[in-house]
Amino acid sequence: MFSLRGDAHKVFLRLKKTIDEGRSIHQMQEYIEIEAIQNLYQSLDSNTLQLIYFRMIKENKGTGMIPILVSSAPWLLLLFSKQLSQFLFHDGSLLWAVFSIVYLAVVFISIIIHFREKAWAAFHMEIIQTILTERKRETTSDSTV
């Protein structure tokens, strides 16, 4: 199923297709994956879960190596621009085109990986936060009774 929209819309389309076909959503890969992640986090104590949450915040907020690579690589190329241009453009060579395509592909793939990882970190953070909030609410309601 090809769609230029994000993962949320793709999940919606698969969910709609599953329901339209009369199948259970509990058999969908997305549901099974979320449930497995949630069950793992629910099996951990709150202190450990809080530490994992802090690590996820670091992952989500951190710039990471990929953006540094993407932003610093052009400066490196600029540093050697004279030598690079002599190498790429000598004798009518098309080496510059190959270099440009490879460079842009690496940058594009790096950016996609970076934002997918940030999205996964946010996904895990939401699950952890929900579990911690529910536990806190249960503890508060038990102590008031």
Side-chain angles (χ1 to χ4, degrees), residues 22-85:
R23 294 183 300 160
S24 171
I25 63 168
H26 299 285
Q27 297 169 345
M28 289 179 59
Q29 178 61 35
E30 292 86 354
Y31 182 89
I32 294 168
E33 183 178 44
I34 294 168
E35 195 172 50
I37 293 168
Q38 193 172 27
N39 288 340
L40 173 68
Y41 288 147
Q42 284 176 336
S43 70
L44 302 173
D45 64 281
S46 294
N47 290 333
T48 303
L49 209 51
Q50 188 70 49
L51 293 175
I52 293 170
Y53 181 76
F54 292 150
R55 179 64 186 199
M56 294 291 176
I57 289 174
K58 179 193 173 293
E59 178 75 24
N60 195 29
K61 302 284 185 192
T63 56
M65 290 305 296
I66 291 174
I68 292 171
L69 170 72
V70 169
S71 62
S72 65
W75 287 106
L76 181 65
L77 296 176
L78 186 62
L79 198 68
F80 298 106
S81 62
K82 183 177 179 183
Q83 297 90 337
L84 190 60
S85 64

